Tab-separated table of all heavy atoms in Angstrom:
chain	number	residue	atom	x	y	z
A	97	VAL	N	-3.580	3.074	-0.198
A	97	VAL	CA	-2.316	2.481	-0.693
A	97	VAL	C	-1.767	1.542	0.342
A	97	VAL	O	-1.368	1.986	1.462
A	97	VAL	CB	-1.292	3.528	-1.042
A	97	VAL	CG1	0.009	2.972	-1.554
A	97	VAL	CG2	-1.830	4.529	-2.091
A	98	ASP	N	-1.804	0.214	0.148
A	98	ASP	CA	-1.203	-0.679	1.101
A	98	ASP	C	0.237	-0.870	0.765
A	98	ASP	O	0.559	-1.540	-0.279
A	98	ASP	CB	-1.960	-2.039	1.096
A	98	ASP	CG	-1.538	-2.921	2.172
A	98	ASP	OD1	-0.498	-2.728	2.709
A	98	ASP	OD2	-2.367	-3.892	2.482
A	99	THR	N	1.105	-0.333	1.506
A	99	THR	CA	2.532	-0.323	1.147
A	99	THR	C	3.286	-1.596	1.581
A	99	THR	O	4.486	-1.732	1.274
A	99	THR	CB	3.266	0.949	1.732
A	99	THR	OG1	3.136	0.944	3.154
A	99	THR	CG2	2.735	2.256	1.164
A	100	HIS	N	2.537	-2.521	2.263
A	100	HIS	CA	3.231	-3.778	2.626
A	100	HIS	C	2.171	-4.918	2.892
A	100	HIS	O	1.560	-4.806	3.906
A	100	HIS	CB	4.091	-3.550	3.826
A	100	HIS	CG	4.960	-4.746	4.196
A	100	HIS	ND1	6.025	-5.193	3.555
A	100	HIS	CD2	4.732	-5.614	5.181
A	100	HIS	CE1	6.519	-6.184	4.102
A	100	HIS	NE2	5.737	-6.571	5.096
A	101	ILE	N	2.029	-5.836	2.081
A	101	ILE	CA	1.108	-6.960	2.261
A	101	ILE	C	1.635	-8.208	1.681
A	101	ILE	O	2.157	-8.175	0.497
A	101	ILE	CB	-0.310	-6.528	1.732
A	101	ILE	CG1	-1.245	-7.824	1.751
A	101	ILE	CG2	-0.296	-5.921	0.263
A	101	ILE	CD1	-2.724	-7.442	1.557
A	102	HIS	N	1.534	-9.235	2.423
A	102	HIS	CA	2.021	-10.564	1.877
A	102	HIS	C	0.776	-11.338	1.348
A	102	HIS	O	0.040	-11.925	2.074
A	102	HIS	CB	2.541	-11.422	3.046
A	102	HIS	CG	3.825	-10.869	3.662
A	102	HIS	ND1	5.014	-11.266	3.357
A	102	HIS	CD2	4.004	-9.849	4.566
A	102	HIS	CE1	6.028	-10.559	4.019
A	102	HIS	NE2	5.355	-9.713	4.784
A	103	ALA	N	0.705	-11.264	0.032
A	103	ALA	CA	-0.428	-11.957	-0.608
A	103	ALA	C	-0.526	-13.476	-0.252
A	103	ALA	O	-1.532	-14.051	-0.090
A	103	ALA	CB	-0.467	-11.792	-2.123
A	104	SER	N	0.673	-13.907	-0.093
A	104	SER	CA	0.793	-15.451	0.069
A	104	SER	C	0.375	-15.859	1.520
A	104	SER	O	0.203	-17.070	1.745
A	104	SER	CB	2.296	-15.925	-0.129
A	104	SER	OG	3.084	-14.983	0.563
A	105	GLN	N	0.275	-14.904	2.433
A	105	GLN	CA	-0.142	-15.152	3.831
A	105	GLN	C	-1.599	-15.047	3.990
A	105	GLN	O	-2.075	-15.261	5.135
A	105	GLN	CB	0.724	-14.424	4.741
A	105	GLN	CG	2.135	-14.744	4.704
A	105	GLN	CD	3.099	-13.768	5.511
A	105	GLN	OE1	2.631	-13.022	6.329
A	105	GLN	NE2	4.352	-13.766	5.235
A	106	TYR	N	-2.332	-14.685	2.988
A	106	TYR	CA	-3.749	-14.274	3.146
A	106	TYR	C	-4.612	-15.491	3.614
A	106	TYR	O	-5.564	-15.316	4.317
A	106	TYR	CB	-4.349	-13.697	1.838
A	106	TYR	CG	-5.804	-13.317	2.022
A	106	TYR	CD1	-6.137	-12.342	2.854
A	106	TYR	CD2	-6.747	-13.864	1.198
A	106	TYR	CE1	-7.456	-11.993	3.056
A	106	TYR	CE2	-8.055	-13.593	1.430
A	106	TYR	CZ	-8.440	-12.586	2.242
A	106	TYR	OH	-9.754	-12.293	2.373
A	107	SER	N	-4.141	-16.749	3.275
A	107	SER	CA	-4.959	-17.929	3.637
A	107	SER	C	-5.153	-18.098	5.070
A	107	SER	O	-6.062	-18.561	5.545
A	107	SER	CB	-4.313	-19.132	2.991
A	107	SER	OG	-3.063	-19.354	3.477
A	108	TYR	N	-4.160	-17.640	5.788
A	108	TYR	CA	-4.265	-17.826	7.290
A	108	TYR	C	-4.371	-16.535	8.116
A	108	TYR	O	-4.213	-16.443	9.324
A	108	TYR	CB	-3.095	-18.711	7.887
A	108	TYR	CG	-1.705	-18.035	7.766
A	108	TYR	CD1	-1.174	-17.349	8.867
A	108	TYR	CD2	-0.955	-18.200	6.605
A	108	TYR	CE1	0.084	-16.858	8.724
A	108	TYR	CE2	0.315	-17.702	6.562
A	108	TYR	CZ	0.835	-17.012	7.573
A	108	TYR	OH	2.126	-16.545	7.467
A	109	SER	N	-4.813	-15.458	7.315
A	109	SER	CA	-4.976	-14.234	8.102
A	109	SER	C	-6.092	-14.345	9.082
A	109	SER	O	-7.069	-15.070	8.856
A	109	SER	CB	-5.324	-13.035	7.095
A	109	SER	OG	-6.460	-13.311	6.356
A	110	GLY	N	-5.923	-13.762	10.222
A	110	GLY	CA	-6.937	-13.890	11.257
A	110	GLY	C	-6.620	-15.025	12.218
A	110	GLY	O	-7.423	-15.303	13.192
A	111	THR	N	-5.545	-15.672	11.985
A	111	THR	CA	-5.164	-16.852	12.833
A	111	THR	C	-3.612	-16.705	13.108
A	111	THR	O	-2.969	-15.907	12.494
A	111	THR	CB	-5.380	-18.242	12.203
A	111	THR	OG1	-4.502	-18.396	11.104
A	111	THR	CG2	-6.848	-18.275	11.614
A	112	ALA	N	-3.121	-17.620	14.017
A	112	ALA	CA	-1.738	-17.872	14.201
A	112	ALA	C	-1.022	-16.502	14.664
A	112	ALA	O	0.026	-16.139	14.043
A	112	ALA	CB	-1.031	-18.318	12.875
A	113	LEU	N	-1.525	-15.968	15.696
A	113	LEU	CA	-0.914	-14.664	16.153
A	113	LEU	C	-0.367	-14.807	17.564
A	113	LEU	O	-0.297	-13.780	18.259
A	113	LEU	CB	-1.944	-13.544	16.040
A	113	LEU	CG	-2.555	-13.283	14.668
A	113	LEU	CD1	-3.778	-12.403	14.732
A	113	LEU	CD2	-1.479	-12.641	13.788
A	114	ASP	N	-0.014	-16.077	17.869
A	114	ASP	CA	0.422	-16.292	19.286
A	114	ASP	C	1.976	-16.502	19.425
A	114	ASP	O	2.388	-16.886	20.537
A	114	ASP	CB	-0.266	-17.520	19.778
A	114	ASP	CG	0.007	-18.813	18.923
A	114	ASP	OD1	0.389	-18.617	17.708
A	114	ASP	OD2	-0.299	-19.878	19.377
A	115	LEU	N	2.772	-16.135	18.453
A	115	LEU	CA	4.180	-16.360	18.589
A	115	LEU	C	4.853	-15.025	18.161
A	115	LEU	O	4.442	-14.330	17.227
A	115	LEU	CB	4.698	-17.482	17.686
A	115	LEU	CG	4.248	-18.891	18.077
A	115	LEU	CD1	4.658	-19.907	17.021
A	115	LEU	CD2	4.784	-19.277	19.452
Side-chain angles (χ1 to χ4, degrees):
V97 180
D98 189 341
T99 57
H100 185 77
I101 171 165
H102 296 261
S104 51
Q105 296 171 16
Y106 182 61
S107 62
Y108 65 96
S109 59
T111 72
L113 299 167
D114 57 341
L115 291 175

